[in-house]
Amino acid sequence: MNTAASENSVSKTKLDTKLLVGTLLFCLFNKPALALADDAQELAAIKAQMRQLAAQVEAIEQRQAKRQGLKKTQTALAGKGRHNTGLAGGKTATAALGSGPADPAIRFSPDTPPASVAQAGGLPLRSHGSGTNPFGFEWLPASQEVVGHPRSAMDLASSSPSSITQTSVDHLPPVFTIGGISVKLGGFVELSNIARDSNMTAGPATAWGSFPYANNPNHGLSEERISAQLSRMSVLMEANPRKDIRLQAYIETDFGGAAGTSNSVQISGYTPRMRQGYFTFTQKDWGFHLLMGQAWSLVTNYSKGLLPRQEQLPAVTDNNQIPGIAFTRVPQIRIGKDWHEKYWLGLSLEDPQGTVDASTFSKSCSPNGSSFSGSSVPAGYGQSGTSCAYYQNSGGVLLNSGTHYTDNPAPDIVLKAAADTSFGHYEVFGLGRWFRSLSVMPGESTTRKHTHFGGGVGAGLTTPLGTKKLQLAGNILAGEGVGRYGPSLLPDTTLNSRGQLTPVPEIIGSLGLIGHPSKSVLLYTYGGVETAGRKSYMGNDGHQYGYGVSDLNLSGCSIEFGSCNAQTHTLASLTAGGWWHFMEGHYGSMMAGLQYTYIRKFAFKGNDGFGNSVSPTTFGNTVYVTFRYFPFQ
């Protein structure tokens, strides 16, 4: 008996201990859950369940309507509010639940899907899962405010269709929101077949100024490339803190980068790069605009106003545009002002970088045995001794160590005025630049700092020619040291006899006709030119130095494997092409493009070594066949 009682007492003690431990564990782990399960969470969970049930109801009703062929009936009943008396008290219950302050980030879609969604056979995007979302993330419903957007953003009626030149993300409905920020996605997947009659060993961006002369075996050696590198993605994030204020952030990227390991043998693993990345602030009542980040330069021609993503870019397939178009795409700070969105004024401070031609200064120098390398500059007529000039360095931290960066004392400054009239868009601008170098004069052992000013003036227009189906677009930039702004990259500067960077005179310009024979077809033709003047000096040794010299022996330019150091004087081009928007639906859109470009390159005159004048020239032909799939349009 005592043994049995003792065993029962021990068992009871063990049981009580287990109950106590279990109760403590239950309270320990359940208490926070109970603390979090307040009214707001319960309400959010109910809302999530209602959204799931509403989506199921809509899907069933759409399947029934399709089977019975009652789409018209469904639309008519939707107008009478048939579905508003359904789930959970319909519209009244939804409004009551949606009006609570517990979770303002959650919104409800109408019980009846918009006609555009129903006809497309798709459902509006909904939130997934249940419970509250601490980040305020929400799939946007296909609400009435989105119905006004066209199903496709393919507006080929423009002289510079943003679906081709940019990503047309502005014309697309938001995909989701995060708190008070709406997010739009844009972009396309591209495949291009590129054929050139001279081997450039280049991807889908042609170095127009590098077409070889006849001395190079690559001249006349055809090149075939197939590339998807220009496939592009973009994200536009927007917020409206007040009625008159808009904030935007835009990021655009493609695969035009080439790392040291990139090749086309087994895997064409080319790297993503940032095309654009900036944010903007707009105060509508003041007409004030601010942009900070990497974007198209204010030098670029615009089709309307001076706002980003409204640039007048030619609808070409080559990533390097065409000769004669003035542009860069660089980090900048830009402020702007508009008057009734008709007259515009903009000021931009842009990241500087120069191109220097030192081809006639073949020797390098390192004064006093220094490891710091520069260009040896022969003395000018009447001078004695040789100078050393320093103007660039290899890239450092977060810059490309395999290239050189010029020494820049100040940003490039662009001031532009524009007007939008019933006769088209017109603009004029001024450009200011500064070029800096260090030099060691003959007989000296320390450097002197030199800064020279360059820049120019330009203008642009975009106007219809009597009909909306034919438009004229043109641009021009003339000045000294503006070669960086042309796709052919003529040199900005060269060196004078004192080792100073001196700007080269240049003109960049293009004129294009854009036609729209139908809503789905765009045709274009462009003529462009880039030309540089002379900037040279006579050396004490009787030879010319600088850019555009006329005493070079160029006899080898027309002989295979001959020596040819010709300097480019002019590049002229003719481009013709078009796009066909041949497929569209709720699954996206597809386009096909065809483009041909002929380019002619002329060098400054030289001689053949016997006193006879020689004028080297070469040409190139490029053909693009391009296909693009736009999943968001």
Side-chain angles (χ1 to χ4, degrees), residues 56-102:
Q56 294 176 11
V57 170
E58 290 169 353
I60 293 171
E61 288 179 342
Q62 286 184 357
R63 288 199 298 270
Q64 290 177 342
K66 287 180 180 179
R67 284 196 298 265
Q68 299 170 6
L70 297 178
K71 287 186 178 180
K72 293 183 179 179
T73 303
Q74 181 188 21
T75 304
L77 290 175
K80 295 179 181 179
R82 169 179 175 270
H83 302 293
N84 293 340
T85 59
L87 180 65
K91 187 175 182 180
T92 304
T94 301
L97 290 172
S99 61

Side-chain angles (χ1 to χ4, degrees), residues 437-607:
S437 64
L438 300 174
S439 68
V440 179
M441 303 302 294
E444 297 182 3
S445 59
T446 58
T447 61
R448 295 184 183 183
K449 186 188 302 180
H450 309 283
T451 301
H452 278 200
F453 176 78
V457 294
L461 64 87
T462 304
T463 181
L465 292 179
T467 172
K468 292 182 179 179
K469 291 191 173 183
L470 186 61
Q471 293 147 329
L472 178 70
N475 67 275
I476 187 169
L477 170 60
E480 292 191 339
V482 298
R484 171 204 192 189
Y485 288 86
S488 302
L489 288 181
L490 293 174
D492 291 318
T493 61
T494 187
L495 297 168
N496 63 16
S497 61
R498 302 182 67 84
Q500 303 169 352
L501 292 178
T502 177
V504 175
E506 286 144 341
I507 297 177
I508 301 168
S510 71
L511 194 63
L513 283 175
I514 303 96
H516 315 275
S518 71
K519 291 182 179 180
S520 59
V521 175
L522 170 73
L523 301 176
Y524 58 84
T525 180
Y526 275 88
V529 64
E530 297 181 40
T531 184
R534 299 180 186 273
K535 185 68 70 168
S536 60
Y537 71 91
M538 179 65 70
N540 199 25
D541 57 2
H543 293 288
Q544 297 179 31
Y545 297 92
Y547 196 75
V549 301
S550 58
D551 62 350
L552 294 176
N553 186 339
L554 304 179
S555 59
C557 291
S558 58
I559 302 171
E560 191 170 22
F561 296 111
S563 176
C564 180
N565 55 349
Q567 297 175 319
T568 302
H569 179 14
T570 300
L571 290 108
S573 69
L574 177 65
T575 298
W579 289 92
W580 176 31
H581 179 203
F582 64 89
M583 188 178 293
E584 177 182 280
H586 65 274
Y587 43 76
S589 297
M590 290 197 69
M591 296 182 69
L594 176 64
Q595 176 181 308
Y596 165 74
T597 298
Y598 172 80
I599 187 167
R600 191 86 182 183
K601 182 168 73 170
F602 303 89
F604 284 99
K605 290 183 179 180
N607 62 76

Side-chain angles (χ1 to χ4, degrees), residues 38 72 113 120 134 162 198 232 256 259 286 289 303 320 323 350 424 490 558:
D38 54 11
K72 293 183 179 179
S162 59
S198 285
R232 194 179 304 173
W286 301 344
H289 308 273
S303 59
N320 199 25
E350 304 184 356
L490 293 174
S558 58

Side-chain angles (χ1 to χ4, degrees), residues 18-39:
K18 290 180 179 178
L19 288 174
L20 179 59
V21 173
T23 302
L24 288 174
L25 291 175
F26 177 82
C27 293
L28 180 63
F29 290 103
N30 195 42
K31 213 168 185 181
L34 292 174
L36 293 175
D38 54 11
D39 292 342

